[in-house]
């Protein structure tokens, strides 16, 4: 009997206890986990590693130099350049001054002009200015100029039509010297034009140098940018403008062109190559400026000024 009792007790002690529930884990396991994140956001994925490497690489890039890419501040470097830029009203935002810099007349004038204009004044050690300018000879003064805010080509015609005037616009094709751009802006302002259009690539932009050459007229004369000069000109033609290209071998002389009295866009090419082929073919007229003195060509700014004067005279 004792043996049987022990066997029963042993069997009773070996019985399974109460079953433990899943606690809802199985049900939650069947639920969706949301949309799958993109490969670039999944840690360990090849695209995620490439994106991380790109961020690390960009963080090591040096500070932009003068005339940097679109969207970066331009740096005017050196005492004479900084003072001239401040005198001409270049729209700067910050003047950096080296610590313990020799306080000569140019430094004092730069500080006074910056204070009068309400610019930020930042004191920085020489190694920091060396890094900012990539080792250029800054002489203890660096002026930061924010990116120029370009207009859209259609803004120029819209402004003219809103004022009840025929648009008078200058488009530049292949002009790479910012001083030429500044000179054209100055002529457009002087003769009542409505703006200048430049290409986004392989062309001069509104740098501090262009602004200085414009003698401050860039503050009231808009400059627009286009991705493709030919398409931009075709858009102007659809808006009713006559496209006049300047060419040394043009078919029409300037004084013979009646179109200048109406809505017109004047296209100026580079001094060396002139108008590009596609731009030249798009023009309604190819006009030459008579030069009895025998010169082969005119500076882009001078040529634009001559034609703008003739257009202004006819409109008056």
């Amino acid at each position: 009997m004792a043996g049987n009792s022990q066997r029963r007790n042993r069997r009773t002690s070996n019985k399974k206890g109460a079953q433990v529930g899943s606690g809802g884990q199985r049900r939650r396991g069947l639920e969706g986990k949301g949309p799958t994140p993109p490969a670039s956001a999944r840690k360990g994925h090849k695209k995620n590693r490439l994106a991380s490497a790109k961020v690390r690489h960009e963080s090591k890039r040096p500070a932009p130099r003068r005339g940097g890419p679109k969207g970066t501040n331009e740096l005017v470097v050196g005492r004479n350049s900084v003072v001239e830029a401040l005198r001409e009203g270049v729209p700067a935002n910050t003047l950096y001054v080296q610590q313990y810099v020799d306080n000569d007349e140019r430094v004092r004038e730069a500080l006074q002009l910056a204070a009068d204009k309400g610019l930020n004044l930042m004191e920085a050690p020489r190694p920091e200015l060396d890094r900012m300018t990539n080792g250029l000879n800054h002489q203890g003064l660096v002026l930061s100029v924010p990116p120029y805010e370009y207009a859209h080509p259609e803004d120029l015609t819209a402004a003219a039509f809103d004022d009840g005037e025929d648009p008078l616009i200058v488009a530049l094709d292949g002009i790479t010297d910012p001083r030429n751009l500044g000179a054209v802006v100055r002529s457009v302002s002087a003769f009542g034009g409505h703006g200048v259009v430049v290409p986004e690539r392989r062309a001069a932009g509104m740098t501090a140098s262009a602004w200085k050459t414009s003698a401050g007229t860039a503050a009231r004369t808009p400059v627009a940018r286009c991705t493709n000069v030919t398409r931009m000109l075709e858009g102007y033609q659809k808006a009713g403008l006559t496209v006049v290209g300047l060419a040394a071998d043009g078919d029409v002389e300037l004084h013979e062109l009646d179109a200048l009295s109406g809505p017109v866009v004047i296209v100026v090419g580079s001094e060396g190559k002139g108008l590009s082929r596609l731009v030249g073919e798009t023009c309604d007229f190819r006009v030459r400026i008579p030069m009895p003195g025998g010169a082969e060509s005119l500076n882009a700014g001078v040529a634009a000024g001559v034609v703008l004067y003739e257009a202004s005279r006819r409109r008056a």
Side-chain angles (χ1 to χ4, degrees):
M1 293 292 293
N4 292 337
S5 176
Q6 290 177 357
R7 283 194 295 273
R8 282 195 301 271
N9 292 340
R10 198 162 46 244
R11 284 195 300 271
T12 302
S13 62
N14 287 339
K15 286 183 178 179
K16 293 182 180 180
Q19 296 295 316
V20 179
S22 66
Q25 292 180 9
R26 295 176 184 173
R27 184 176 66 255
R28 287 195 297 269
L30 296 176
E31 294 176 355
K33 298 182 180 180
T36 303
S40 58
R42 298 203 296 271
K43 189 175 182 180
H45 194 281
K46 180 180 179 181
K47 290 187 176 181
N48 177 265
R49 294 196 301 271
L50 290 174
S52 300
K54 182 179 179 181
V55 171
R56 290 194 300 271
H57 174 70
E58 290 181 346
S59 65
K60 296 179 181 178
R61 289 180 178 176
R65 298 182 63 172
R66 181 174 177 177
K70 183 180 179 182
T72 63
N73 281 16
E74 180 188 1
L75 299 180
V76 180
V77 176
R79 298 185 184 185
N80 288 335
S81 297
V82 168
V83 170
E84 289 174 5
L86 290 172
R87 285 175 181 170
E88 294 295 341
V90 173
N93 52 16
T94 305
L95 175 63
Y96 294 90
V97 184
Q98 180 183 313
Q99 289 176 343
Y100 314 115
V101 68
D102 294 335
N103 193 12
D104 67 3
E105 183 178 348
R106 292 170 298 175
V107 172
R108 289 192 295 271
E109 183 177 359
L111 290 171
Q112 185 62 54
L113 289 170
D116 293 343
K117 296 176 183 298
L119 305 186
N120 297 320
L121 294 175
M122 301 291 292
E123 191 177 38
R126 177 164 185 165
E128 177 63 16
L129 296 184
D130 291 341
R131 185 197 65 79
M132 287 175 57
T133 61
N134 284 349
L136 295 178
N137 184 22
H138 52 73
Q139 299 174 310
L141 289 182
V142 178
L143 187 66
S144 177
V145 180
Y148 181 82
E149 295 184 8
Y150 291 93
H152 189 278
E154 293 179 0
D155 296 339
L156 309 186
T157 52
F161 289 136
D162 288 345
D163 292 338
E165 300 175 352
D166 288 331
L168 177 58
I169 298 168
V170 174
L172 302 184
D173 178 31
I175 302 297
T176 57
D177 188 341
R179 292 170 297 183
N180 276 337
L181 171 58
V184 171
V185 171
R186 188 172 183 176
S187 294
V188 169
S189 177
F191 296 113
H194 298 98
V196 181
V197 185
V198 296
E200 285 187 1
R201 298 182 180 181
R202 296 184 293 276
M206 279 305 297
T207 63
S209 177
W211 190 282
K212 285 191 295 182
T213 307
S214 77
T217 58
R220 56 182 182 271
T221 304
V223 177
R225 256 184 173 172
C226 65
T227 55
N228 185 285
V229 176
T230 302
R231 286 201 295 267
M232 179 270 296
L233 294 176
E234 291 172 346
Y236 277 157
Q237 287 171 328
K238 292 178 181 178
L241 278 68
T242 301
V243 178
V244 175
L246 303 188
D249 59 348
D251 304 320
V252 182
E253 287 198 353
L254 181 60
H255 65 275
E256 301 172 343
L257 188 64
D258 295 331
L260 290 176
S261 59
V264 66
V265 52
I266 302 163
V267 190
V268 184
S270 63
E271 288 186 55
K273 299 180 180 179
L275 300 175
S276 61
R277 181 181 61 83
L278 289 177
V279 169
E281 293 174 355
T282 305
C283 293
D284 297 305
F285 298 97
R286 296 174 75 252
V287 179
R288 65 180 182 274
I289 300 174
M291 290 181 285
E296 293 184 2
S297 64
L298 294 174
N299 173 277
V302 174
V306 170
V307 182
L308 285 165
Y309 166 75
E310 178 66 14
S312 176
R313 185 186 68 83
R314 289 171 180 259
R315 290 162 182 248

